[in-house]
Amino acid sequence: MTTTTPSNATDTGAPVMADNAPVAFGVFNPQGQVVLGLPTQQQADDLVAALLAAGWTPDTVVAFVPYGSVAQLERMSESASSLADFGYERTLLNRYVEMSRRGVRWLLVTVDDLDHANRMADIARRHGAETAVYYRRFTTEDLI
């Protein structure tokens, strides 16, 4: 699978992991991007190929580990600011913990707007994505 790091994912170009993931109030928050969870590596590989065929560029699609391990993800959940509880962030974090325990493969896809995100989610749905969450400026939106 071709994997790259979107230029807006980190300032260093390093893989998106616990130490350099975009956060707000101590919770993962990749604004302008969609987090996708797929059950198998083959489905993730197939989705990357489909997105590239649909016009996404390699710098806008990245396979990533949201956190180095489930234990790190759980620690982030425990240490997240209480402000995270006012929104949907805590719910998402708990979902990501559960899915990571099951070995879900993760993709992070940069999108231009909601229409672009919905088009990407349609493609992802056909490839078996279990979740697609669009991180907008002030809100998150479940697309799958």
Side-chain angles (χ1 to χ4, degrees):
M1 168 160 71
T2 302
T3 59
T4 59
T5 301
S7 59
N8 59 347
T10 68
D11 292 336
T12 64
V16 178
M17 298 181 77
D19 294 339
N20 61 7
V23 296
F25 303 114
V27 178
F28 184 61
N29 187 20
Q31 184 178 320
Q33 297 172 316
V34 177
V35 173
L36 296 162
L38 294 107
T40 69
Q41 187 62 52
Q42 186 62 54
Q43 287 169 301
D45 291 346
D46 292 347
L47 178 54
V48 168
L51 291 171
L52 294 175
W56 271 262
T57 59
D59 66 326
T60 63
V61 179
V62 61
F64 79 108
V65 178
Y67 305 94
S69 69
V70 173
Q72 283 181 313
L73 190 58
E74 289 169 338
R75 281 193 299 277
M76 178 173 262
S77 178
E78 292 166 4
S79 66
S81 165
S82 60
L83 292 174
D85 291 332
F86 287 110
Y88 191 43
E89 291 83 5
R90 180 74 67 180
T91 299
L92 287 173
L93 188 56
N94 291 338
R95 180 190 308 170
Y96 297 158
V97 168
E98 184 274 325
M99 292 177 79
S100 292
R101 285 181 181 142
R102 290 190 287 115
V104 164
R105 304 315 196 268
W106 298 99
L107 296 176
L108 186 64
V109 180
T110 302
V111 294
D112 297 329
D113 55 30
L114 182 58
D115 289 338
H116 199 217
N118 281 322
R119 189 167 68 103
M120 186 274 314
D122 288 341
I123 296 167
R125 192 176 292 107
R126 289 193 301 268
H127 286 83
E130 291 184 13
T131 191
V133 179
Y134 179 28
Y135 285 78
R136 300 173 79 172
R137 184 174 182 133
F138 297 112
T139 63
T140 55
E141 184 169 343
D142 280 303
L143 303 175
I144 295 177

